Amino acid sequence: MDRTISIIVSQGSLEGVHPALIMANGARAEGIEADLFFTFFGLDAITKKRWEHIKPATVGNPGPAPADTPGRDAYCAGFVTRFMERKMDKLDIPPVPGFIEMITDTGAGI
């Protein structure tokens, strides 16, 4: 029996892209055919000029800064991005471009 999974990537933020890449990688490791479909907002993940700008979304995230802090969104974005990058490095999770290349090399469709 052939098994296939289609994964929709609908956000261009780290938390929108990485879960899809991790699931596709796991599926391919188990011999399951995997296809990734990128919606309009998910296209940042496969647009080379946007790769350096993929960051965690901070909208709606209370973050560590008090709500009345000037520049709160910029503070939270920088803090959260650095935190996530360190955690992903420790877990040996590749950056988005490397992850996409690794998955497509296994035969997953984009």
Side-chain angles (χ1 to χ4, degrees):
M1 171 169 84
D2 292 334
R3 298 183 300 167
T4 304
I5 186 170
S6 294
I7 301 168
I8 299 170
V9 182
S10 62
Q11 296 178 2
S13 61
L14 271 182
E15 65 271 17
V17 174
H18 264 94
L21 297 176
I22 291 168
M23 287 189 292
N25 188 54
R28 293 303 301 138
E30 292 294 320
I32 300 169
E33 294 295 320
D35 292 310
L36 292 164
F37 176 81
F38 295 85
T39 66
F40 182 76
F41 293 111
L43 286 174
D44 284 348
I46 57 173
T47 304
K48 290 181 182 182
K49 67 180 180 179
R50 296 290 302 154
W51 279 342
E52 296 298 320
H53 304 287
I54 297 175
K55 309 282 184 228
T58 56
V59 175
N61 180 358
D68 60 348
T69 302
R72 177 180 180 269
D73 289 340
Y75 171 81
C76 290
F79 173 80
V80 172
T81 299
R82 286 189 301 279
F83 176 80
M84 290 294 292
E85 287 172 347
R86 285 194 301 268
K87 289 292 185 184
M88 290 178 356
D89 282 345
K90 285 182 183 178
L91 295 171
D92 199 29
I93 298 173
V96 172
F99 217 153
I100 289 174
E101 181 180 353
M102 180 176 70
I103 291 169
T104 56
D105 286 350
T106 67
I110 292 185

